[in-house]
Amino acid sequence: MKKLISIVVPMYNEESTLEILYEELNKVVLSMEDYSFEYVFVNDGSKDRTLSILKELAEKDERVKYLSFSRNFGKEAALLAGLQSAKGDLVVTMDADMQDPPALLPEMVAYVESGEYDNAATRRVSRKGEPVIRSFFARMFYKLMRHMTDINIVDGARDYRVMSRPMVDSILSLQEYNRFSKGIFAWVGFETKWIEYENVERSAGETKWSFWKLLRYSVEGIVSFSNTPINLASYLGLFLTGASMIALFLIVGRALLFGDPVAGWPSTASIITFIGGVQLFVMGVMGQYISKTYMEVKRRPHYIIKESNLKGDK
Ligand code: UDP
Ligand code: MG
């Protein structure tokens, strides 16, 4: 029997790219005769015609499996749902917008099949066609991430991967609610073959990531995989306490020796606002962790499926 490869694609408002992607995938898949394929398309609560196009495709092509969420749950949830439903011996994850060139698939699969690697991943070596500010913050984020966590998240890494079944199973065994895939991929370990390519611009439609959404995503990533911010908070607190003790002695000493000179309001006010600011910041850091913990203990499902052509299983 041929090995089965599952191709998992999260989709949010991708009516303009979906058919292009489907055609391209078919072309590549045709050239890979030694494998059979299933497409696991996850509709992440799109507000356009994505779902109806998916249904049409599923009707004429039995390889097309679709899952449709009751609302937009985010890309991470869509990826998870896709991975959970994928039955393949190898599982591919890719974006819908052709920024992850399907033509790389045969090469990626070959690396995993060689037995030397458990997964083949891709990274962009350029960020051509992307706003400069966005590239700048993205770079900063990866740098920060590398310093603050003990997992190595590669700059420009995409969520375009081919993974072996054992790797997929270990990813699914991580039950956390706050899923930061780039971190999870790195955390589970396994041998990774990195394939590099130049950035490709979206084939159609537009990016679903605003600056704020990306910022939230970064904070999520850091808080999920690093305790550095909360440790920093304690160090900062410790330092300030020490400094204020010394200041206290100096002030009391000076008052005893030289009497009480005219008090300076501006400096007092500055000190109070500074300490107040630091306290608020530190509380904010703690709040981040507490809110994540809160979400974890609630154990809510990551997504809710409204419709699907996968009968019997979720
Ligand atoms: N996506 C999703 N849910 C979301 C946002 C995005 O499923 O809430 C999907 C989107 O359809 C695409 C992939 O995630 O397949 C990457 O999104 P996009 O291309 O907009 O991101 P970019 O490439 O600009 O980082
Ligand atoms: Mg994209």
Side-chain angles (χ1 to χ4, degrees):
M1 220 175 73
K2 287 181 182 177
K3 275 194 176 173
L4 177 67
I5 299 184
S6 308
I7 301 179
V8 173
V9 187
M11 296 179 179
Y12 178 52
N13 295 346
E14 298 287 4
E15 61 178 6
S16 52
T17 61
L18 175 47
E19 274 157 319
I20 311 176
L21 173 79
Y22 176 71
E23 295 301 325
E24 286 301 313
L25 281 178
N26 280 349
K27 275 188 221 157
V28 177
V29 157
L30 261 183
S31 71
M32 299 171 74
E33 290 158 348
D34 303 337
Y35 301 93
S36 56
F37 286 84
E38 65 168 1
Y39 301 153
V40 183
F41 293 149
V42 184
N43 172 34
D44 182 13
S46 300
K47 293 190 178 60
D48 61 1
R49 292 183 47 250
T50 304
L51 179 60
S52 50
I53 300 174
L54 280 180
K55 284 182 177 165
E56 277 164 34
L57 293 179
E59 210 132 278
K60 34 177 221 220
D61 185 347
E62 59 170 18
R63 289 174 306 185
V64 176
K65 315 274 161 48
Y66 69 86
L67 304 165
S68 184
F69 289 176
S70 58
R71 64 168 171 86
N72 179 247
F73 279 91
K75 184 183 174 185
E76 299 294 344
L79 265 181
L80 176 68
L83 288 181
Q84 285 174 337
S85 311
K87 300 207 176 56
D89 303 297
L90 297 178
V91 180
V92 182
T93 53
M94 65 160 72
D95 287 358
D97 56 5
M98 304 284 299
Q99 281 187 302
D100 300 333
L104 288 176
L105 258 184
E107 185 190 347
M108 291 164 74
V109 167
Y111 277 116
V112 179
E113 283 290 86
S114 74
E116 206 177 324
Y117 300 99
D118 304 288
N119 74 122
T122 52
R123 62 180 286 252
R124 296 185 288 185
V125 282
S126 70
R127 289 179 168 267
K128 244 188 355 227
E130 210 185 55
V132 187
I133 297 259
R134 190 170 153 170
S135 305
F136 171 74
F137 279 110
R139 289 234 163 77
M140 285 241 306
F141 167 66
Y142 285 112
K143 231 190 191 147
L144 214 71
M145 213 48 203
R146 267 194 301 273
H147 278 127
M148 287 192 179
T149 65
D150 28 318
I151 49 173
N152 182 22
I153 297 185
V154 175
D155 187 2
R158 309 260 325 153
D159 291 338
Y160 182 22
R161 282 181 187 250
V162 176
M163 292 175 277
S164 64
R165 181 41 62 183
M167 177 154 174
V168 174
D169 287 341
S170 55
I171 286 171
L172 292 179
S173 73
L174 295 183
Q175 293 286 325
E176 62 215 74
Y177 182 80
N178 299 289
R179 295 190 83 83
F180 179 69
S181 285
K182 286 183 178 28
I184 291 177
F185 286 147
W187 188 89
V188 295
F190 293 93
E191 270 329 301
T192 305
K193 169 70 193 172
W194 287 100
I195 294 168
E196 301 183 343
Y197 68 98
E198 295 280 322
N199 189 30
V200 187
E201 283 185 52
R202 223 174 202 287
S203 62
E206 52 192 47
T207 175
K208 311 296 177 307
W209 296 88
S210 66
F211 179 77
W212 294 110
K213 222 171 153 182
L214 275 173
L215 185 70
R216 253 207 338 252
Y217 183 68
S218 321
V219 172
E220 182 119 311
I222 292 173
V223 174
S224 303
F225 280 92
S226 165
N227 286 326
T228 311
I230 208 161
N231 292 341
L232 213 74
S234 335
Y235 295 141
L236 201 66
L238 210 64
F239 170 74
L240 279 177
T241 315
S244 62
M245 292 290 267
I246 296 171
L248 195 80
F249 277 116
L250 288 179
I251 291 168
V252 171
R254 191 177 62 175
L256 287 178
L257 288 178
F258 306 110
D260 196 14
V262 189
W265 273 107
S267 56
T268 316
S270 323
I271 291 165
I272 291 174
T273 42
F274 172 68
I275 303 229
V278 170
Q279 276 177 340
L280 274 182
F281 172 71
V282 170
M283 263 155 62
V285 170
M286 294 199 299
Q288 285 292 331
Y289 284 88
I290 293 173
S291 72
K292 294 280 176 247
T293 315
Y294 180 50
M295 293 309 284
E296 297 288 352
V297 293
K298 276 203 275 198
R299 295 236 146 262
R300 280 191 186 154
H302 293 86
Y303 52 83
I304 289 166
I305 291 178
K306 193 170 149 203
E307 270 178 74
S308 161
N309 66 344
L310 284 162
K311 281 173 238 81
D313 41 28
K314 355 172 222 143

